[in-house]
Amino acid sequence: FSGPLNTRLLAFNTQRFPTDDIRVRQAVIHAIDKEKMVATSLLGQETVAMRIFHESLPFCNVNLSPAPGYDADKVRLLLDSAGWRSEEH
């Protein structure tokens, strides 16, 4: 979530379980519905950030892929492949 000069982000300790597994980190990223969070928790007062820096800043690399969006099916696939099986499906 960002304005031109501030961004909120989630960082992982990639050296410790369970976020030492890239599939778990990717699942967490896909599990966050950023649009819903902005609309509810932030009362629509901010915009969803697609990169760590706002596109209007000269040092933002707009050629990098934007952050992935919410995808519950992808979360289940990633966690299943990492050994975190859901009993519900």
Side-chain angles (χ1 to χ4, degrees):
F1 317 103
S2 74
L5 296 178
N6 64 30
T7 302
R8 298 166 198 233
L9 62 95
L10 175 65
F12 299 102
N13 181 342
T14 61
Q15 303 303 307
R16 299 191 65 183
F17 179 82
T19 53
D20 58 339
D21 187 328
I22 191 169
R23 296 167 297 185
V24 172
R25 296 191 305 268
Q26 290 171 336
V28 171
I29 290 167
H30 284 287
I32 299 170
D33 188 340
K34 294 180 282 264
E35 286 82 9
K36 191 174 203 175
M37 190 177 289
V38 165
T40 57
S41 299
L42 301 172
L43 305 173
Q45 298 296 309
E46 298 192 28
T47 59
V48 174
M50 298 310 291
R51 295 172 180 78
I52 193 167
F53 297 115
H54 194 273
E55 289 84 3
S56 67
L57 296 172
F59 44 84
C60 176
N61 185 348
V62 295
N63 296 317
L64 295 176
S65 298
Y70 175 76
D71 187 337
D73 292 331
K74 189 152 193 159
V75 171
R76 280 188 282 283
L77 288 172
L78 287 162
L79 290 178
D80 281 352
S81 73
W84 295 83
R85 303 248 181 248
S86 170
E87 300 299 324
E88 293 184 20
H89 69 278

